[in-house]
Amino acid sequence: MTSSTDELTADYLQRLAAVQPSDLPADLDLFSEDTATRGIRLNKAAYSLKHAEQRELFAADEERWMEQFGLTGEERDLLRRRDWIGLWRGGMTIYVMVKLSGVTGTPLPEIGKQMREAG
Amino acid sequence: MTSSTDELTADYLQRLAAVQPSDLPADLDLFSEDTATRGIRLNKAAYSLKHAEQRELFAADEERWMEQFGLTGEERDLLRRRDWIGLWRGGMTIYVMVKLSGVTGTPLPEIGKQMREAG
Amino acid sequence: MARVIGGIGASHAPSMEHVYDAGDDVRRNDEWEPLFGPFSEVSSWLAELRPDRLVVIYNDHMDEFFLNAYPTFALGVADSYPVADEGFGARPFPPLPGDAALGWHIARSLVADEFDPTICQELEVDHGVLSPLPMVDFAEGEGAWRIPIVPLAVNVILHPLPTPRRCWKLGQAVRRAILSYPEDLGVVVVGTGGLSHQLTGPRFGAVTPEWDQEFMRLLAEDPERLCDYTHEDLIKLGGTESVEVVNWLAMRGALGPEATAKVTAYYPHKIMGYGLQSYAVAA
Amino acid sequence: MARVIGGIGASHAPSMEHVYDAGDDVRRNDEWEPLFGPFSEVSSWLAELRPDRLVVIYNDHMDEFFLNAYPTFALGVADSYPVADEGFGARPFPPLPGDAALGWHIARSLVADEFDPTICQELEVDHGVLSPLPMVDFAEGEGAWRIPIVPLAVNVILHPLPTPRRCWKLGQAVRRAILSYPEDLGVVVVGTGGLSHQLTGPRFGAVTPEWDQEFMRLLAEDPERLCDYTHEDLIKLGGTESVEVVNWLAMRGALGPEATAKVTAYYPHKIMGYGLQSYAVAA
Ligand SMILES: [Fe+3]
Ligand SMILES: [Fe+3]
């Protein structure tokens, strides 16, 4: 099989390695393959809140709002508990989390406080 | 102003020219800036027909279906008349036109016949 | 490390779907045997080759992407690709199995190589994938797809289009991505579309068999020559919609210099120049 | 032919919107004067410079683009860009005027230069554009925007991200596109985002003023040095979300070698390193 990989230059392999941070401290996360895959349902749910109708549905009946996104039971629990660290670990990006902070009336500093305490 | 355009190499200018077909016979069209801009409402309308609900609405009440897309009066007339050449000249791409051929029960060869006769 | 073990170029068209769906009696009648015969030859070859994955370079026909945000290149990073409803209801195939991990690796490699793909965690594939693929990869008895795919969509609709040369380089970059993938997988690269067809204006239905055959000859023997063609050239030679052949050029770019054409079949019929070509790659 | 006549780098953040929307009393109080003072200096400079167009290189925050199809680069080709609803209702600004013709020209030039943009006939812009822009280009009295824009969104969220070097080259390509545009227009290029901030995990709120100032110094004096930084470097230096500074690097690439920094202002406050920089370009 070496014949084929001989085609790959050192320059290419270095560039390939460089696009994928691999030596980050454990307390710095990335939104990438793992997170994006894990978080797809949660992100879809929170992204929906850019629409006023979805925010109204959330306010009126949070359970019914959650039913739209194929969330797992655990994901629903994270949402019900406003477990920001859990949502983050579940793959929810901060950018859609902000929309969720809006409908739940959670100021960003409160989310930040929980994040810092996550250790 | 020549100082700034001096930066542009002959190679760049040739590549720039090459991405924009400029010497096509008049009977060959392109879907590009002009067509895409002109056709945005018509394309949006026909694109909607990928959704079964939109096809049902079309079948039930074509006028109400048309109201959703901000179409001009002329565009509505083209749709009402099944004026395939007019729709094409109005900027509708063949790919969404095919969806419209479906809901209107117009076989593609019939559209083709009209196209050929457009001359 | 993964390897590129073969290539397929194939036309795509709704007509191919209608004939496939009509079953063997229609596929193998006098009208369609010239197209479906060669497909079954390629299918047998593929069954013997047993690739682990297919990378399918195709184009969408405004069934997934629209003018609000039209990607030049769009890459699938999902484990499943549903069949798009093109306006007539979706064909009754199960979703196509994907390989998200390979897709993400290709995404990283393309970005490292200075390509700018749109990265798709969800993607419905249309007849750009679904018209040729069942001919070579669907187990009708079991009602199941055999080989997981990674779809890669190229803009051939909304000008400015990526140039033939850029598509060739895209194929070369896909090759590097496959070769650098750590899993030991055999990959066949598929390019779909064309050949000659013209679906708008007074030339509606024009087919140009001589150019189509010259295109397949050049693709086999001297593919880099095709990089010198502009879209204007291609449109004049094969019709406005024939620019889809850049998907074949990208496929060819992924095969490396040692690839050789095996099957080459051509059938101009009604409004399409139907082409099919398979490539063997030295092990 | 069009010319590049200046550049602006500016942080963007919802906090800037809240302060702007609270009016002059808040903008110019002790807390916010260090940010809004320099902005009004840049605003005066821009009013004198009278550019005909702004090319705004920014990033979306999942207000327009989502994971179904996340573009590496997305370019606006519309005549109007509505304000996105980010989850709290859209801010009451009129849609931003665009220049579709210039957008399409940039699209053609980028494609000719082997960039692969997603081409957007419809695009809602979020605080990536809307938090800095009113400070320099909104006539509050008239309730109107002054200068038509062309927005260009860069993926800084979903890894793999385009490398700093690729973004620098993107800026250089934007420059060529402007210089080859046949209309006689003066264009200012804006890059938004950063500087240091960290919005996830135990380092939430971390700001790194030394790096932020070094970044602006390098951008002014030796921008190509920044192409050697990886995203990993940037994340370690300024936080996960600080990688938005690649938008500044792209802006700088569009200015050509003769540009010089005029205003350079920096204000680390709460969870953000707010930066602002303006560039003059020799006529
Ligand atoms: Fe096609
Ligand atoms: Fe931001």
Side-chain angles (χ1 to χ4, degrees):
Chain A
M1 302 301 105
T2 48
S3 65
S4 63
T5 51
D6 281 354
E7 287 179 49
L8 304 176
T9 64
D11 172 61
Y12 163 77
L13 292 169
Q14 197 195 324
R15 281 185 286 112
L16 178 61
V19 294
Q20 186 169 30
S22 57
D23 189 33
L24 287 174
D27 63 353
L28 285 179
D29 64 317
L30 273 193
F31 190 67
S32 63
E33 175 172 348
D34 291 339
T35 349
T37 303
R38 193 165 70 232
I40 186 70
R41 294 169 301 279
L42 284 173
N43 283 312
K44 203 180 289 185
Y47 177 70
S48 77
L49 298 169
K50 83 187 233 62
H51 300 290
E53 320 83 73
Q54 290 288 334
R55 296 196 292 271
E56 283 156 25
L57 178 55
F58 185 99
D61 188 344
E62 195 171 324
E63 293 295 319
R64 210 150 61 78
W65 172 79
M66 285 198 289
E67 273 165 25
Q68 304 172 92
F69 311 104
L71 297 161
T72 67
E74 202 179 332
E75 287 165 340
R76 286 166 198 241
D77 276 345
L78 292 170
L79 285 165
R80 285 185 197 111
R81 286 203 312 267
R82 315 291 191 249
D83 181 346
W84 304 103
I85 300 137
L87 290 167
W88 169 56
R89 290 189 178 136
M92 185 184 282
T93 76
I94 184 64
Y95 300 110
V96 295
M97 199 178 288
V98 168
K99 303 182 209 311
L100 194 63
S101 83
V103 289
T104 59
T106 317
L108 190 62
E110 170 56 28
I111 294 178
K113 188 166 162 285
Q114 284 195 30
M115 292 273 187
R116 275 192 299 270
E117 285 164 3
Chain B
M1 299 302 102
T2 49
S3 65
S4 64
T5 51
D6 281 354
E7 287 179 49
L8 304 176
T9 64
D11 173 62
Y12 163 77
L13 291 169
Q14 198 194 324
R15 282 185 285 112
L16 179 61
V19 294
Q20 187 170 28
S22 56
D23 189 32
L24 287 175
D27 64 349
L28 284 177
D29 66 315
L30 272 193
F31 190 67
S32 63
E33 175 173 349
D34 291 338
T35 350
T37 302
R38 194 164 68 232
I40 185 70
R41 293 169 302 277
L42 284 173
N43 284 312
K44 204 180 289 186
Y47 177 70
S48 78
L49 298 169
K50 80 185 238 65
H51 300 290
E53 318 84 74
Q54 291 287 335
R55 296 196 291 270
E56 283 155 26
L57 178 55
F58 184 99
D61 186 344
E62 196 171 324
E63 293 295 320
R64 210 150 63 78
W65 173 79
M66 285 198 289
E67 275 165 23
Q68 304 173 91
F69 310 104
L71 297 161
T72 67
E74 202 181 332
E75 287 165 342
R76 285 166 199 241
D77 276 345
L78 292 170
L79 286 164
R80 287 186 196 109
R81 286 204 311 266
R82 316 292 192 248
D83 180 346
W84 304 103
I85 300 137
L87 290 167
W88 170 58
R89 290 188 179 139
M92 185 185 280
T93 77
I94 184 65
Y95 300 110
V96 296
M97 201 179 285
V98 169
K99 303 182 208 311
L100 193 62
S101 83
V103 289
T104 58
T106 316
L108 189 62
E110 169 55 27
I111 294 178
K113 188 164 161 287
Q114 285 195 29
M115 291 272 189
R116 274 192 300 267
E117 286 163 3
Chain C
M1 312 296 264
R3 294 149 288 127
V4 176
I5 62 172
I8 299 172
S11 290
H12 65 229
S15 55
M16 291 163 61
E17 304 190 318
H18 303 152
V19 177
Y20 181 93
D21 294 349
D24 253 336
D25 283 358
V26 175
R27 293 176 206 166
R28 309 311 290 256
N29 68 13
D30 288 352
E31 183 180 4
W32 291 106
E33 172 65 26
L35 178 63
F36 282 72
F39 261 114
S40 79
E41 196 180 334
V42 171
S43 180
S44 304
W45 164 74
L46 205 68
E48 239 173 84
L49 192 63
R50 294 178 152 273
D52 301 296
R53 300 290 182 271
L54 302 176
V55 171
V56 184
I57 302 171
Y58 77 110
N59 63 277
D60 179 72
H61 302 78
M62 298 210 177
D63 296 309
E64 170 69 61
F65 301 112
F66 188 63
L67 301 168
N68 62 319
Y70 213 82
T72 297
F73 299 132
L75 177 71
V77 295
D79 276 322
S80 178
Y81 298 99
V83 177
D85 179 340
E86 304 192 22
F88 305 81
R91 286 169 84 202
F93 283 94
L96 288 86
D99 181 345
L102 178 58
W104 282 106
H105 174 80
I106 295 174
R108 285 187 289 269
S109 184
L110 288 180
V111 167
D113 266 339
E114 302 200 333
F115 286 80
D116 317 310
T118 285
I119 297 174
C120 303
Q121 282 190 262
E122 295 182 344
L123 178 58
E124 295 184 354
V125 292
D126 74 356
H127 76 267
V129 173
L130 259 288
S131 61
L133 217 63
M135 324 277 205
V136 296
D137 182 43
F138 192 71
E140 285 189 272
E142 302 150 46
W145 299 99
R146 294 194 189 94
I147 314 173
I149 70 167
V150 175
L152 174 51
V154 174
N155 173 19
V156 301
I157 290 180
L158 176 66
H159 289 251
L161 309 180
T163 64
R165 186 174 303 279
R166 182 65 171 167
C167 295
W168 167 256
K169 289 181 182 175
L170 174 69
Q172 292 180 310
V174 165
R175 176 176 183 79
R176 279 189 292 276
I178 293 168
L179 297 186
S180 64
Y181 192 61
E183 226 179 299
D184 181 26
L185 298 176
V187 180
V188 164
V189 181
V190 182
T192 83
L195 305 177
S196 61
H197 59 307
Q198 173 72 39
L199 301 181
T200 46
R203 296 196 198 186
F204 184 98
V207 172
T208 52
E210 276 179 40
W211 161 245
D212 286 343
Q213 283 165 301
E214 173 67 358
F215 171 80
M216 286 197 287
R217 191 189 66 76
L218 282 170
L219 195 77
E221 295 171 15
D222 192 7
E224 288 203 59
R225 272 277 298 281
L226 291 167
C227 296
D228 293 330
Y229 286 69
T230 63
H231 284 110
E232 180 164 332
D233 296 331
L234 295 176
I235 290 168
K236 285 175 177 169
L237 287 162
T240 304
E241 283 72 34
S242 78
V243 295
E244 296 177 341
V245 295
V246 296
N247 301 333
W248 291 48
L249 188 56
M251 171 276 288
R252 186 69 177 86
L255 303 186
E258 304 303 316
T260 51
K262 287 185 60 175
V263 171
T264 291
Y266 182 65
Y267 181 46
H269 185 57
K270 295 185 175 167
I271 64 173
M272 285 289 300
Y274 294 100
L276 179 65
Q277 208 168 32
S278 66
Y279 284 90
V281 175
Chain D
M1 311 293 265
R3 293 149 288 128
V4 176
I5 61 172
I8 299 172
S11 290
H12 65 229
S15 55
M16 290 162 62
E17 304 190 317
H18 303 152
V19 177
Y20 181 92
D21 294 348
D24 253 337
D25 283 358
V26 175
R27 294 176 205 165
R28 308 311 290 256
N29 68 14
D30 288 353
E31 184 179 3
W32 291 107
E33 171 64 26
L35 177 62
F36 281 73
F39 261 114
S40 77
E41 194 180 337
V42 171
S43 180
S44 304
W45 164 75
L46 204 67
E48 240 174 85
L49 192 61
R50 293 177 153 275
D52 301 296
R53 301 291 183 271
L54 302 176
V55 171
V56 185
I57 303 170
Y58 77 109
N59 63 275
D60 180 73
H61 302 78
M62 298 209 177
D63 295 308
E64 170 70 60
F65 301 113
F66 189 61
L67 302 168
N68 61 319
Y70 212 82
T72 297
F73 299 132
L75 177 71
V77 295
D79 276 322
S80 178
Y81 299 98
V83 176
D85 180 339
E86 305 191 23
F88 304 82
R91 284 169 87 204
F93 283 95
L96 288 85
D99 181 345
L102 178 59
W104 283 106
H105 175 80
I106 295 174
R108 286 187 289 269
S109 184
L110 287 180
V111 167
D113 265 340
E114 303 200 333
F115 286 79
D116 317 312
T118 285
I119 297 173
C120 303
Q121 282 190 261
E122 294 182 345
L123 178 58
E124 295 185 351
V125 292
D126 74 354
H127 75 269
V129 173
L130 259 288
S131 61
L133 217 63
M135 323 279 204
V136 296
D137 182 42
F138 192 72
E140 287 189 271
E142 303 150 46
W145 299 99
R146 293 195 189 93
I147 314 173
I149 69 168
V150 175
L152 173 50
V154 173
N155 173 19
V156 300
I157 290 179
L158 176 66
H159 290 252
L161 310 180
T163 64
R165 185 174 303 281
R166 182 65 171 166
C167 295
W168 168 256
K169 290 181 183 176
L170 173 70
Q172 293 180 309
V174 165
R175 176 178 183 76
R176 279 190 292 276
I178 293 168
L179 297 186
S180 64
Y181 190 60
E183 229 181 297
D184 181 27
L185 298 176
V187 180
V188 164
V189 181
V190 182
T192 84
L195 304 178
S196 62
H197 59 306
Q198 173 73 41
L199 301 180
T200 46
R203 294 197 199 187
F204 182 99
V207 172
T208 52
E210 277 179 39
W211 160 245
D212 286 342
Q213 286 166 299
E214 173 69 359
F215 170 80
M216 286 196 287
R217 191 189 66 76
L218 282 170
L219 195 75
E221 295 172 13
D222 192 6
E224 289 204 57
R225 272 274 300 282
L226 290 166
C227 296
D228 294 329
Y229 285 70
T230 64
H231 284 109
E232 181 163 332
D233 296 330
L234 296 176
I235 290 168
K236 286 175 176 168
L237 287 163
T240 303
E241 284 73 32
S242 78
V243 296
E244 295 176 340
V245 294
V246 296
N247 300 333
W248 292 47
L249 188 56
M251 172 275 292
R252 187 69 179 84
L255 303 187
E258 304 304 315
T260 51
K262 287 184 59 172
V263 170
T264 291
Y266 182 64
Y267 181 45
H269 185 57
K270 294 185 176 165
I271 63 174
M272 285 289 298
Y274 295 99
L276 179 64
Q277 208 168 32
S278 66
Y279 284 89
V281 174

